[in-house]
Amino acid sequence: INATATSSLSFFPTTGLVPGVVFLDAYVFVGTPEGRIYNCNVGNPIIWDPIDFITAEAESDNSVGIVKHLNYILDYGQWSTEFFYDAGNQIASPLAVAQAYRIEVGCANGDSIVQFEQTIAWIGRSKTVGTAVYIMDGVSPVKVSNPYIERILGNSTLADVKAYAFKFNGHMFYVMTLHDL
């Protein structure tokens, strides 16, 4: 009898999330395969509004992962990568597209994306170069794999990839496992 009920309606995109959860400027961001990057309310990761998102639209490819790099959120598509920055928008997403930094190297599998120190490593995919391992140097992708590694990548479906990075004796190592080889 004298009970009080309180309800809190919150939207969170629970199906089809791509790898990566990003915290930037008091917001938490998640991505979907359709290229939408959703954010929580500022400073409150339990409240999500269904209109608080921005869409990666530079290419018609699906998103495979998101990651934070420098002061940007990167949306990795299958064939392209878009950069977003906090523009302080008050309605919908606080993000805006950083047009000058879009690159034409995507990602073969979102689970291959590893952020460490001031760079990112991933298995990239390009329509002109093919599949290779890349690192992000500032805002530019740099291919770091050799033909032997690229041949191994070419023999894999890249459907089940696990990756991590570690530092040993001052050297950074990117380690990936291809579960179908």
Side-chain angles (χ1 to χ4, degrees):
I1 302 185
N2 294 332
T4 303
T6 304
S7 68
S8 174
L9 298 177
S10 180
F11 168 82
F12 182 80
T14 57
T15 58
L17 296 179
V18 297
V21 176
V22 175
F23 179 79
L24 177 69
D25 298 338
Y27 293 96
V28 176
F29 297 90
V30 296
T32 66
E34 297 80 25
R36 288 185 172 182
I37 301 174
Y38 287 92
N39 60 275
C40 69
N41 283 5
V42 64
N44 192 345
I46 62 170
I47 304 295
W48 296 72
D49 193 315
I51 65 165
D52 290 349
F53 69 89
I54 190 169
T55 305
E57 298 176 332
E59 293 287 331
S60 61
D61 54 351
N62 289 331
S63 292
V64 298
I66 65 170
V67 68
K68 179 182 173 184
H69 178 59
L70 306 173
N71 286 329
Y72 298 100
I73 292 179
L74 279 61
D75 177 82
Y76 282 93
Q78 295 166 307
W79 304 104
S80 65
T81 303
E82 283 190 64
F83 288 68
F84 296 88
Y85 67 96
D86 185 352
N89 300 326
Q90 297 298 313
I91 299 174
S93 177
L95 300 178
V97 178
Q99 295 287 349
Y101 300 132
R102 187 182 72 80
I103 58 176
E104 293 184 8
V105 175
C107 182
N109 185 313
D111 290 325
S112 72
I113 303 168
V114 176
Q115 192 275 333
F116 55 95
E117 293 188 352
Q118 291 295 311
T119 194
I120 300 168
W122 77 99
I123 300 174
R125 190 173 272 161
S126 165
K127 291 180 181 178
T128 57
V129 177
T131 304
V133 177
Y134 289 85
I135 63 168
M136 191 67 71
D137 182 15
V139 293
S140 300
V142 176
K143 187 174 86 145
V144 295
S145 58
N146 59 34
Y148 305 107
I149 298 296
E150 291 160 16
R151 185 170 53 234
I152 292 169
L153 293 173
N155 289 330
S156 172
T157 64
L158 302 174
D160 191 6
V161 177
K162 299 296 180 242
Y164 62 93
F166 70 93
K167 191 173 194 174
F168 182 73
N169 284 341
H171 299 281
M172 290 301 301
F173 293 88
Y174 173 70
V175 180
M176 69 178 139
T177 303
L178 307 174
H179 290 278
D180 64 343
L181 293 180

